[in-house]
Amino acid sequence: MTYDNRAEVRKVLIITLLLNLFVMGLKALVGYWTGSLSLLADALHSVTDSANNVLGLIASKFSSPQPDREHPYGHHKFEAVGALGIASFLGIACFEILQGAIERILKGSEPVKISPPELWILLIVLGVNIFVAFYERSVGRRVGSSILIADATHTMSDIWVTISVIGGLIGVWLGYQWMDLVLAFPVALLVFWSGWSVLKENLPSLVDQMAIAPEAIHAIATSVPGVINCHAIASRGVLGRQVFIEMHLIVDAPDVETAHHITEEVESRLEKRFRPVRILIHVEPPAYKSEQISFETGAK
């Protein structure tokens, strides 16, 4: 059983793309008017927001959960690859911000000028970013979309960046010109941390890290009448989205038909607990002995 969430994911990404383009335009305009390095860096960060939405739309198009001849396990990892693309964009944005700050320290620049109307525009930008982040995260969690959750994480970093920039520009308005330059560095760190968070969240899926503790699978399987034991348990995927389980099952069955009914009951209970899930069971006779539930760490 698989759930195709792509239509809803595309709808959310298109809405947030339009909002991010609006936000990016406002930031760039105010940044150009004021000459603020931190605000122009924030506008650059918003460029990555829009690029991420486009990347998400491309990844979502190719991330069908349905298997085919070339992809018998489905296409879920396309979304994780898209999320890693987001992390890459964040890394580029971090580098650009730091480079701009260092150049301004070494070469100097014109004073930053800010007025109350420009600060009000930035508050509107902040409100739009807050809406986008919570909207994407809510839908992403509901439909199990890693690309929406990753993009929401990116947008949350944008919120903190914008708050920092507004604080710095208020300082500039009060006469503290150095605040704009100083705040460019924590902005870069916030961007880097967002990229690292997205990377850390999506790598387990790409490297086939364990999705479910083998002890939990073992307990469910051995609760079925006719199951003597199970071993060589392996799982991968994303729990709540799509999980793949493999195991060897030792059954007390006089014939193939009885063994089949036992394995079907095991599959039914695992499906009920961890759906959606695809399960592969290798049946072994009652005399087979094995105490190894799963694979040992560091085993060769």
Side-chain angles (χ1 to χ4, degrees), residues 61-274:
K61 177 178 175 62
F62 293 103
S63 63
S64 169
Q66 304 300 332
D68 56 31
R69 181 180 176 85
E70 287 76 25
H71 306 89
Y73 293 99
H75 308 73
H76 284 104
K77 290 187 179 180
F78 278 101
E79 267 211 12
V81 171
L84 292 185
I86 290 176
S88 300
F89 277 124
L90 287 167
I92 294 170
C94 176
F95 173 78
E96 292 290 339
I97 294 168
L98 291 175
Q99 184 183 47
I102 292 170
E103 284 182 357
R104 180 164 289 190
I105 291 172
L106 296 176
K107 298 179 181 179
S109 63
E110 292 294 322
V112 176
K113 299 177 181 178
I114 188 73
S115 64
E118 290 161 346
L119 287 173
W120 278 110
I121 291 174
L122 292 180
L123 288 175
I124 294 172
V125 165
L126 180 61
V128 173
N129 278 339
I130 291 172
F131 169 78
V132 168
F134 282 92
Y135 174 52
E136 279 193 303
R137 179 175 293 177
S138 174
V139 178
R141 287 176 174 173
R142 177 165 57 82
V143 304
S145 170
S146 60
I147 197 74
L148 286 184
I149 294 172
D151 201 37
T153 301
H154 183 189
T155 305
M156 281 302 298
S157 76
D158 210 22
I159 290 171
W160 291 111
V161 168
T162 302
I163 290 173
S164 299
V165 169
I166 291 173
L169 291 177
I170 290 173
V172 169
W173 183 42
L174 295 173
Y176 302 101
Q177 284 287 329
W178 53 268
M179 287 190 69
D180 180 63
L181 181 58
V182 168
L183 281 171
F185 291 95
V187 165
L189 291 176
L190 284 170
V191 172
F192 175 80
W193 178 255
S194 297
W196 170 248
S197 298
V198 170
L199 183 67
K200 186 170 63 174
E201 186 173 338
N202 286 277
L203 269 182
S205 170
L206 288 173
V207 300
D208 291 334
Q209 184 174 308
M210 174 188 70
I212 305 166
E215 292 79 8
I217 297 171
H218 183 271
I220 292 173
T222 53
S223 69
V224 175
V227 174
I228 298 174
N229 201 358
C230 64
H231 62 100
I233 300 170
S235 66
R236 63 184 177 87
V238 179
L239 191 59
R241 173 114 189 264
Q242 180 67 67
V243 173
F244 299 89
I245 297 175
E246 300 174 9
M247 70 174 73
H248 288 211
L249 199 67
I250 304 172
V251 297
D252 184 10
D255 51 54
V256 173
E257 185 175 357
T258 304
H260 174 69
H261 287 312
I262 293 172
T263 58
E264 280 198 326
E265 179 61 23
V266 171
E267 290 175 355
S268 176
R269 295 190 185 189
L270 289 171
E271 170 70 26
K272 184 177 180 181
R273 176 65 179 83
F274 301 115

